[in-house]
Amino acid sequence: MSIRKILTGVSGLDAASIIKDAQKELRAPARRLFGKRILTLGGLAMLSGCDLTNDKSVNAMLRKMSSFNDDAQALLFDPNKLAPTYPESMITRPFPFNAFYDIDEVPEVDPATYRLQVGGLARGKRVWTLEELRALPQESQITRHICIEGWSAIGKWGGVRFADFLARSGADTTAKYVAFQCADNYSTSIDMPTALHAQTLLTLTYDGQVLPPKYGFPMKLRMPTKLGYKNPKHIVSITVTNQYPGGYWENQGYNWFGGS
Ligand SMILES: Nc1nc2c(c(=O)[nH]1)N[C@H]1C(S)=C(S)[C@@H](COP(=O)(O)O)O[C@H]1N2
Ligand SMILES: [Mo]
């Protein structure tokens, strides 16, 4: 299916101009794929006419986004556009747990022996202890997590801006992908523009406390611009690469971009 056909099926404020841009971009699709604009959840919400403020509109968006392919999404992402943030009063309590296994099988990671490995196209620090990560400048965000299984919830995460972490690790930020391996053998990967997005955080806390095991101790990469399955918990290694890495759900047919 052509990008034009996909986009013309979508109603929304800016659909017409986006289609026009996408047609222009389409003339050189591969070259532009990792260029300036890749779709955020916010951008998708706008395109699909959904405001993401309640579960019904989130579900409607999830249905519509299944008609976008990775190329169309990558073309539309705006790296400067921020996902919505929320007040403390809107935090969902209790925040849902989800994984490809039950809650009693959550991995136990020992903080004393834990090391985060950085591999691939990176020339800086390659092994990080938890103490070293905690010593880096921290930020927090209250954002909405959207799971493709049809639920969403607002949570508060704190941690290191991922762009800052990549810079300190000497990562080659002209590379295409960043891949994640997790303590539970989960894996996923993201595009570099999303890795560098201002709201992409390597989180060490949840709701002001050390990230509990169920939410990904010792760390979860939190991206409000991506769907839940793109947000890896229990990360043990990070690889910067130009080779398409795929991921646990992506290899079973979930949309790789998952930017929505
Ligand atoms: N390591 C790991 N990360 C993971 C998953 C998983 O099974 N293992 N599931 C993903 C999915 S599908 C969702 S919706 C979120 C759930 O995160 P939560 O338990 O903090 O709500 O984690 C994502 N990251
Ligand atoms: Mo999910």
Side-chain angles (χ1 to χ4, degrees):
M1 198 182 340
S2 73
I3 288 179
R4 176 159 204 262
K5 223 167 157 197
I6 293 164
L7 292 175
T8 46
V10 175
S11 65
L13 292 172
D14 254 5
S17 70
I18 289 168
I19 290 162
K20 221 171 119 205
D21 280 3
Q23 282 175 317
K24 260 189 272 159
E25 300 277 341
L26 255 183
R27 290 181 199 126
R31 188 155 54 84
R32 299 286 182 102
L33 185 56
F34 291 95
K36 320 159 272 246
R37 289 176 301 151
I38 296 170
L39 198 57
T40 56
L41 282 171
L44 261 174
M46 183 199 74
L47 265 177
S48 58
C50 306
D51 60 12
L52 303 189
T53 49
N54 59 58
D55 289 348
K56 217 175 137 204
S57 64
V58 168
N59 283 340
M61 188 206 66
L62 288 173
R63 277 197 302 279
K64 287 185 181 171
M65 54 148 278
S66 63
S67 65
F68 283 87
N69 64 21
D70 286 338
D71 293 9
Q73 292 179 48
L75 288 170
L76 293 165
F77 179 80
D78 178 347
N80 299 314
K81 196 167 173 193
L82 296 180
T85 57
Y86 302 88
E88 298 251 351
S89 60
M90 285 183 73
I91 294 174
T92 308
R93 294 195 164 93
F95 192 86
F97 159 82
N98 197 31
F100 65 92
Y101 43 78
D102 292 337
I103 196 159
D104 52 10
E105 291 164 56
V106 166
E108 278 175 40
V109 175
D110 177 358
T113 55
Y114 174 81
R115 299 288 181 273
L116 175 64
Q117 311 281 340
V118 180
L121 305 170
R123 291 162 171 268
K125 188 169 165 57
R126 283 182 164 252
V127 184
W128 294 81
T129 64
L130 261 181
E131 283 317 306
E132 288 168 334
L133 293 166
R134 286 176 183 149
L136 298 178
Q138 311 280 310
E139 298 182 14
S140 77
Q141 61 173 232
I142 302 176
T143 52
R144 185 182 290 275
H145 171 116
I146 301 174
C147 174
I148 200 161
E149 290 168 32
W151 55 270
S152 83
I154 293 171
K156 179 179 175 180
W157 293 268
V160 182
R161 212 184 255 229
F162 196 49
D164 182 18
F165 173 81
L166 287 177
R168 291 170 192 266
S169 300
D172 174 1
T173 53
T174 68
K176 286 184 181 170
Y177 309 103
V178 183
F180 303 88
Q181 279 297 331
C182 307
D184 56 1
N185 285 322
Y186 191 79
S187 60
T188 187
S189 54
I190 58 171
D191 53 287
M192 188 61 78
T194 298
L196 299 176
H197 186 273
Q199 287 171 309
T200 297
L201 296 186
L202 199 55
T203 61
L204 303 167
T205 67
Y206 181 75
D207 206 6
Q209 309 291 322
V210 172
L211 196 70
K214 62 181 172 180
Y215 301 145
F217 183 84
M219 83 181 57
K220 167 174 182 162
L221 189 77
R222 178 63 200 138
M223 291 168 283
T225 55
K226 292 264 190 234
L227 289 167
Y229 66 89
K230 303 297 291 182
N231 290 235
K233 305 192 283 189
H234 319 287
I235 303 167
V236 293
S237 94
I238 296 176
T239 308
V240 182
T241 178
N242 282 314
Q243 263 87 54
Y244 175 74
Y248 180 88
W249 287 116
E250 293 87 342
N251 298 349
Q252 299 176 58
Y254 277 26
N255 172 286
W256 177 74
F257 199 75
S260 356

